[in-house]
Amino acid sequence: MIESDIGVELTLDLLEDLRRELDRQADQAHLFELLGRRLVELLEPAEPVVAAGPAGEPAVIAVVGVNGTGKTTSIAKLAHRFGSQGHRVIVGAADTFRAAAIEQLEIWARRAGADFVAHQPGSDPAAVAFDAISAGRARGANVVILDTAGRLHTKKNLMEELRKVIRVSGRAQEGAPHETLLVLDATTGANAFEQARQFGEACRLTGAILTKLDGTARGGTVFRIRRELSVPVKLLGTGEGLDDLLDLDPAAFVDALLRPVAQAGGGAS
Amino acid sequence: MSVLFGSLGERLQGALKRLRSRGKLSEADINAAMREVRMALLEADVNYKVARDFASRIGERAVGQEVLESLTPAQQVVKIVHEELTGLLGGVTARLAVAARPPTVIMLVGLQGAGKTTTCGKLALRLHKEGRRPLLVGLDTQRPAAGLQLQRLAESLGVSFYVAEAGSDPIAGVRQALTEAARLGCDYVLMDTAGRLHVDSGLMEQLAAAKRAAAPHEVLLVVDAMTGQDAVRVAEEFSGAVGIDGVIMTKLDGDTRGGAALSVKAVTGKPIKFAGMGEKLDALEPFHPERMASRILGMGDVLTLIERAEETIDQKKAVEMERKLRQAEFTLEDFLDQLKQVRQMGGLEQILSMVPGMSRKNIPGAVDESELARTEAIINSMTAAERRNPSIIDGSRRRRIARGSGTNVQAVNRLLRSYSDARRLLRQMTGREKGGRPSPWF
């Protein structure tokens, strides 16, 4: 379990729980079933991503996270998903820092059939957010998705910049952003918890996207993040294609996490 | 390197401190401490097998005669932990390979989002500063605008580049890049490859083929320092399918406990050569295992601090500053100079973290870098005369300075007050201890 990044403390808690049950019945298959059920409980209820804003206004989704977790790709997938559901989508390129980030998003937006709003590299990301939301309202879009620059959660001034993007979004449209999603890399270890905690302090997180699940990482950190920070994982990234975005299914997720352990004979903890 | 390995260091220090509070050590004392060491490593994402081996190796050595019979057993244990940690991190500082016949070809590989492209740019800057002629090569034909990103980096650094067309065959790109390097007379070729998952056998095979075509002198695996237990599998797979010669750890400027760094070397046997310490292109440092081990154990990293100081501080200026400090002639202009130097050295928080005994907890309220920026803005808004002689700054000047720096009069007042406090302090210090050498900054 430690190998799947669940975390030392939570693992010990779960083991303690199981030990109590074990006094009554000690059968290995049963043990795994029990453990699985505990873990599924930790992820429930699964919550979907918002689809529409209040009465005739677009739903605004801000996507945040540290560098290299897959924000831009996840946004492309989200835009594609909303587009194929018949929604009109606008993406705003509020990552004005990284070289060629704007072009990367533009290419994705085109592939996903979404409208695209951007400023010059190096310009104020909050202004981009404002313009993207205003454009969304003017053009009658259903969804506005904001890409933000990757930033380490320990950089005070960058987190301050993010706060401003969120604040200014609220000024462009009351209640925006309706959804703030943190993108977490499944290969990240215990640090994912710190990311969720500190991004949560800067902006009210409504959920998370867990990416790169097509590798060997199993994303065990999400249990602690849900349990201690109440941030639910809503979406899973499972590949580089536009369709590789799934809603979280707690039972299937836990099954994928435990299967290799169960097959190995349940010896590893 | 602000809070690098911070929590791991604190946990390890805690475990060892408890040992220090005892005179003679029993085997039970040491076993208890080793259990703590193992937990600290696990919590820092160190691979569980690596953590287990590490703790038991220390335990064995510590229980041996050299420790229990020594007069300062706790010190001995700390020394063993330091040695083993240094070994775990790679022992000696590893250097980049140099080809007998240039160009030296270096290939960067890794998962998506590890930071390959940015690291390529950082390596190019480093080589460029050393007077080399690097060619940046973009072989990522997969990710949208990846080539463009590399091109922008190359242009901002003023180095040559070759970017394979989006969607084209990277192997063809390798050959063209090598021709281009020969034509331009470049002595280093830095190849950025597409990010790929280690389980994607098709893409791993493609990478192995690109390696055969490029015949690189060095293949470096770029690893995100925040990676969890998966780091070991990633390193094993890349090592097995492609073959690597070394590792670059990125994003070490966050608050990661950096367990990945400790595991990767243990598993692959390949050294960590560089550490990425920030988003700016000059934020790449050689990786020094011995110094890093000291830093983890809270022994500070005075060597890096001195090196940084020598790189950034102008010797003549330092002597002049010392004289001024002694005679309490320290003006606001000098203060501004000092601020700039601190910034060049990587900011106050980084500097403090390298001082022995300064863990993150010891730094009161974490240093607010933006406060320094504000101070700089205020001093920049003063006239030369005002900086030399702050006593002429009256109410109307204060209002002008506040407007000019985008702050308020209170902020200006605060700065002037702390400046005059500092001067008073200096006068007292220089009055009391004659000949005491003040530090080169502050």
Side-chain angles (χ1 to χ4, degrees):
Chain A
M1 271 168 69
I2 280 174
E3 216 182 333
S4 52
D5 291 320
I6 286 186
V8 177
E9 201 178 312
L10 180 54
T11 303
L12 293 179
D13 273 12
L14 286 167
L15 285 179
E16 183 62 30
D17 247 24
L18 287 178
R19 216 165 276 140
R20 236 172 291 144
E21 292 280 337
L22 261 182
D23 291 344
R24 275 176 277 154
Q25 47 220 166
D27 163 14
Q28 205 188 40
H30 185 72
L31 182 84
F32 268 97
E33 201 191 304
L34 214 62
L35 176 62
R37 219 179 309 142
R38 280 283 139 73
L39 288 173
V40 171
E41 274 166 24
L42 279 173
L43 293 180
E44 280 180 331
E47 291 177 39
V49 172
V50 294
E57 299 269 312
V60 178
I61 302 176
V63 179
V64 303
V66 303
N67 319 61
T69 52
K71 285 178 293 302
T72 309
T73 310
S74 296
I75 286 167
K77 294 176 186 174
L78 257 182
H80 174 70
R81 165 195 270 219
F82 284 124
S84 55
Q85 290 166 352
H87 292 300
R88 180 143 191 218
V89 184
I90 291 187
V91 294
D95 179 355
T96 58
F97 176 79
R98 206 201 69 201
I102 297 173
E103 287 84 349
Q104 185 183 348
L105 189 67
E106 188 175 9
I107 295 169
W108 276 123
R110 208 179 309 132
R111 284 189 201 162
D115 279 1
F116 180 70
V117 174
H119 288 185
Q120 290 301 307
S123 57
D124 180 6
V128 180
F130 190 91
D131 281 1
I133 296 170
S134 307
R137 300 178 74 181
R139 298 182 206 168
N142 307 100
V143 185
V144 176
I145 311 176
L146 302 173
D147 189 16
T148 60
R151 64 198 79 226
L152 288 179
H153 47 291
T154 51
K155 309 269 155 142
K156 254 194 219 135
N157 43 357
L158 293 181
M159 293 307 277
E160 203 45 59
E161 178 195 271
L162 183 62
R163 279 200 183 93
K164 185 176 161 198
V165 171
I166 301 291
R167 213 164 47 231
V168 170
S169 298
R171 236 173 273 154
Q173 180 186 336
E174 175 116 12
H178 307 92
E179 184 98 70
T180 303
L181 297 173
L182 174 70
V183 179
L184 292 171
D185 183 334
T187 54
T188 303
N191 196 250
F193 181 79
E194 275 307 304
Q195 292 171 21
R197 197 174 65 74
Q198 299 197 34
F199 271 95
E201 277 171 17
C203 47
R204 202 176 50 85
L205 293 177
T206 57
I209 305 178
L210 188 64
T211 62
K212 305 184 201 174
L213 275 168
D214 41 337
T216 45
R218 300 183 224 138
T221 46
V222 300
F223 295 100
R224 267 190 81 203
I225 291 172
R226 177 76 191 249
R227 184 167 88 151
E228 291 169 46
L229 302 172
S230 307
V231 176
V233 169
K234 295 187 170 181
L235 297 163
L236 310 175
T238 55
E240 289 191 313
L242 279 173
D243 290 313
D244 298 326
L245 188 71
L246 305 173
D247 285 308
L248 173 78
D249 172 352
F253 183 79
V254 170
D255 184 51
L257 190 125
L258 288 181
R259 207 181 314 127
V261 191
Q263 274 164 4
S269 78
Chain B
M1 205 166 290
S2 56
V3 285
L4 169 56
F5 293 125
S7 316
L8 174 57
E10 274 155 29
R11 288 288 304 253
L12 287 179
Q13 284 167 44
L16 297 172
K17 209 174 184 173
R18 265 188 290 284
L19 280 186
R20 248 179 244 137
S21 61
R22 305 184 169 234
K24 275 275 184 204
L25 293 182
S26 72
E27 207 170 315
D29 290 336
I30 287 177
N31 285 338
M34 287 312 115
R35 232 184 337 269
E36 293 232 7
V37 167
R38 211 180 55 209
M39 291 301 268
L41 292 173
L42 276 181
E43 276 180 19
D45 288 330
V46 176
N47 176 267
Y48 69 95
K49 285 183 205 130
V50 175
R52 192 186 54 202
D53 293 352
F54 180 74
S56 73
R57 223 173 18 251
I58 294 172
E60 264 165 43
R61 284 187 62 185
V63 174
Q65 295 196 337
E66 54 174 323
V67 172
L68 293 183
E69 285 172 13
S70 112
L71 285 173
T72 52
Q75 284 299 330
Q76 286 290 330
V77 175
V78 172
K79 190 171 150 250
I80 291 171
V81 172
H82 184 254
E83 280 171 15
E84 290 288 336
L85 210 48
T86 305
L88 195 57
L89 288 165
V92 293
T93 306
R95 295 183 184 285
L96 271 186
V98 184
R101 261 186 61 216
T104 305
V105 179
I106 298 171
M107 198 174 222
L108 268 58
V109 302
L111 300 183
Q112 292 96 336
K116 288 177 295 302
T117 310
T118 304
T119 305
C120 250
K122 289 178 176 176
L123 270 178
L125 173 62
R126 212 180 161 81
L127 291 166
H128 186 58
K129 270 189 185 163
E130 288 170 10
R132 305 285 177 183
R133 289 174 55 90
L135 176 72
L136 270 179
V137 179
L139 296 177
D140 184 351
T141 56
Q142 202 88 22
R143 179 165 63 92
L148 188 62
Q149 184 186 352
L150 194 81
Q151 181 181 336
R152 294 263 163 84
L153 289 175
E155 283 165 354
S156 74
L157 295 172
V159 304
S160 313
F161 61 89
Y162 170 82
V163 173
E165 215 168 291
S168 69
D169 177 18
I171 313 280
V174 166
R175 294 205 188 95
Q176 274 157 23
L178 292 175
T179 316
E180 186 71 1
R183 189 179 70 80
L184 293 170
C186 293
D187 51 6
Y188 274 87
V189 180
L190 303 173
M191 296 186 170
D192 180 29
T193 61
R196 64 200 78 220
L197 284 167
H198 51 294
V199 288
D200 189 331
S201 53
L203 283 179
M204 290 302 274
E205 181 40 48
Q206 184 205 60
L207 187 60
K211 183 187 169 184
R212 283 192 294 275
H217 304 89
E218 182 123 60
V219 178
L220 296 174
L221 177 67
V222 181
V223 180
D224 181 333
M226 295 181 284
T227 312
Q229 297 286 336
D230 209 37
V232 164
R233 247 163 301 170
V234 172
E236 273 171 350
E237 293 288 334
F238 271 93
S239 191
V242 185
I244 62 168
D245 304 294
V247 176
I248 298 181
M249 298 299 295
T250 59
K251 306 181 208 174
L252 267 167
D253 50 328
D255 58 352
T256 172
R257 303 187 201 171
L262 294 170
S263 313
V264 165
K265 166 67 180 50
V267 169
T268 61
K270 301 297 180 193
I272 301 169
K273 298 203 167 180
F274 291 98
M277 304 301 306
E279 291 189 328
K280 302 226 176 72
L281 286 174
D282 59 358
L284 185 74
E285 294 181 358
F287 188 84
H288 300 290
E290 207 260 318
R291 299 185 196 174
M292 192 65 71
S294 303
R295 210 178 295 185
I296 292 175
L297 294 175
M299 296 169 168
D301 184 359
V302 179
L303 277 177
T304 300
L305 187 59
I306 292 170
E307 272 179 15
R308 282 255 194 106
E310 279 172 354
E311 263 174 43
T312 42
I313 292 173
D314 183 335
Q315 275 308 316
K316 248 191 256 158
K317 267 193 189 171
V319 172
E320 172 67 10
M321 188 61 64
E322 195 177 322
R323 190 189 61 77
K324 283 182 169 172
L325 282 173
R326 256 176 230 268
Q327 300 173 8
E329 279 176 14
F330 189 68
T331 68
L332 277 168
E333 219 157 31
D334 302 324
F335 187 54
L336 186 62
D337 264 2
Q338 298 285 297
L339 275 182
K340 283 185 184 146
Q341 284 186 354
V342 166
R343 173 136 341 138
Q344 274 167 22
M345 285 175 63
L348 208 49
E349 211 172 317
Q350 275 205 23
I351 295 174
L352 286 177
S353 75
M354 285 186 262
V355 176
M358 275 287 195
S359 76
R360 195 185 187 195
K361 278 196 182 134
N362 293 341
I363 302 173
V367 185
D368 191 352
E369 300 280 342
S370 61
E371 188 64 41
L372 292 184
R374 231 175 338 249
T375 304
E376 205 177 318
I378 293 173
I379 300 180
N380 275 329
S381 299
M382 296 177 181
T383 65
E386 285 166 348
R387 285 181 213 170
R388 274 192 298 272
N389 184 12
S391 61
I392 63 168
I393 302 177
D394 56 15
S396 114
R397 284 177 190 260
R398 273 168 216 231
R399 276 193 298 279
R400 192 206 74 238
I401 293 166
R403 258 202 319 278
S405 57
T407 58
N408 50 34
V409 174
Q410 284 83 356
V412 178
N413 286 341
R414 243 190 334 268
L415 171 67
L416 289 173
R417 201 158 43 235
S418 53
Y419 166 73
S420 72
D421 285 350
R423 265 181 72 110
R424 199 167 327 125
L425 197 71
L426 275 174
R427 214 166 286 139
Q428 280 170 4
M429 269 169 32
T430 46
R432 212 173 302 151
E433 45 168 309
K434 287 213 172 65
R437 283 176 67 87
S439 74
W441 52 88
F442 292 137

